[in-house]
Amino acid sequence: MSAHVVVVGSTNLDLVVTTPQLPRPGETVLGENFRTVPGGKGANQAVAAARAGAACDFVGAVGDDAFGTQLRESLVGAGVDVRGLRTVPGASGVALIAVDRDAENFIVVAPGANGALTELDAADRSAIAAADVLLLQLEVPLSTVVRAADWARAEGATVVLNAAPAAVLPAQLLELVDVLVVNEHEAAVVAGVFSDDPPVLLDALLELVPRVVLTLGARGAAYGDRRGLRLTVPAPQIDAVDTTAAGDAFTGALAVGWAERGGAVTEDTVTATLRWACAAGAACAQRPGASTALPERAAIDALYDATYRGTP
């Protein structure tokens, strides 16, 4: 089945510099290359979902500056429906990103217009009501995330929350989440535990939400739910170039895979969905940049087939 995904989230212009090593506090290092790339977790995940084959609507905000025009055009060019993208006075969101030779990165975000996304209008609610999956992150006001999740729950859409940046979440939001997607650091913050052991993190998170996808970087991903299903899938083995948007590629593809399988939660469907999402993340990491690196469905399918085809 075709998937309809709505993303409510942030959009930023990424200012990216490559450098031999990431600076320590107080240190200045000499960079190598500089480029500007449309990004933001929300926009990245919307582009990822669209390129993975979904009909995708994006609800967000940009400023009335040149960056805002560039961000809007980028989403349109990726096939994302931007009728829910507002233009507000002031600066668009910006992310400062440094990437070293090992493909590790650090990111500092200035939210700008993203902070103005404080209400959902009738058109936004209509789009959410028609969606299979509502995909959320934490780079826009939390009150808006809660409102969107509440509306999706009322209309029967699956709520997928990527709890990034890491934050302690209110019970009001956790009660509305169907699938929580976190990395190990985010998992520890959300769960309030001092551990990097996946089974411990899954146990703690399942006290809060019914289903958890724990991303493990180059090690793949783990899944747990309250019915007792637990599984881990390995990631494709690749030579990583830039991991900046790999998590967003994974999450966008996960939302599409979940929607295409009609939300059916069996060991086979979850395994296939996680493998496909891992293939998306790995395909993204093979290219530099954020939104520019997000893979098309054909690239995801090719890496999925090369890695998992014939695997039980």
Side-chain angles (χ1 to χ4, degrees):
M1 60 174 290
S2 60
H4 182 192
V5 176
V6 173
V7 179
V8 177
S10 62
T11 179
N12 303 312
L13 193 69
D14 293 347
L15 310 179
V16 184
V17 62
T18 57
T19 181
Q21 68 278 334
L22 299 178
R24 297 184 296 269
E27 180 185 17
T28 298
V29 299
L30 188 63
E32 296 173 334
N33 300 305
F34 173 77
R35 64 188 185 277
T36 60
V37 184
K41 294 200 74 65
N44 283 349
Q45 291 176 18
V47 171
R51 289 183 178 167
C56 185
D57 298 31
F58 182 68
V59 178
V62 295
D64 58 358
D65 54 4
F67 286 176
T69 301
Q70 185 175 348
L71 292 168
R72 182 181 294 275
E73 291 175 351
S74 174
L75 286 164
V76 171
V80 177
D81 189 320
V82 296
R83 284 176 290 182
L85 182 60
R86 295 101 160 112
T87 299
V88 300
S92 298
V94 171
L96 308 178
I97 302 174
V99 182
D100 71 13
R101 289 177 177 172
D102 294 322
E104 294 298 326
N105 65 76
F106 75 69
I107 304 172
V108 180
V109 176
N114 294 301
L117 186 65
T118 56
E119 298 292 339
L120 298 175
D121 62 23
D124 301 329
R125 295 193 296 272
S126 177
I128 292 170
D132 300 305
V133 171
L134 171 68
L135 181 52
L136 302 165
Q137 317 79 32
L138 300 175
E139 289 185 340
V140 297
L142 186 60
S143 59
T144 305
V145 175
V146 173
R147 289 192 188 96
D150 188 48
W151 188 256
R153 172 59 61 83
E155 296 297 327
T158 297
V159 178
V160 177
L161 172 65
N162 177 208
V168 177
L169 301 178
Q172 182 184 11
L173 176 57
L174 291 167
E175 291 168 357
L176 298 169
V177 172
D178 294 300
V179 184
L180 179 69
V181 183
V182 283
N183 63 25
E184 291 163 290
H185 168 66
E186 294 153 359
V189 173
V190 173
V193 300
F194 296 96
S195 175
D196 59 1
D197 183 43
V200 171
L201 293 171
L202 288 174
D203 283 342
L205 290 169
L206 289 171
E207 295 290 325
L208 304 175
V209 295
R211 302 174 192 87
V212 177
V213 174
L214 180 62
T215 61
L216 304 171
R219 292 177 289 140
Y223 172 87
D225 64 32
R226 288 177 176 170
R227 299 179 307 143
L229 178 59
R230 296 290 182 95
L231 57 89
T232 302
V233 303
Q237 298 301 301
I238 60 161
D239 292 322
V241 173
D242 184 353
T243 61
T244 301
D248 295 330
F250 176 98
T251 305
L254 179 83
V256 175
W258 200 277
E260 288 183 346
R261 292 171 176 84
V265 184
T266 67
E267 183 171 356
D268 287 346
T269 60
V270 172
T271 297
T273 300
L274 261 63
R275 286 174 172 174
W276 199 64
C278 283
C284 179
Q286 291 178 301
R287 300 174 59 189
S291 61
T292 53
L294 295 165
E296 300 285 348
R297 189 180 186 105
I300 302 171
D301 287 342
L303 190 52
Y304 176 93
D305 288 343
T307 304
Y308 306 110
R309 188 63 66 192
T311 302

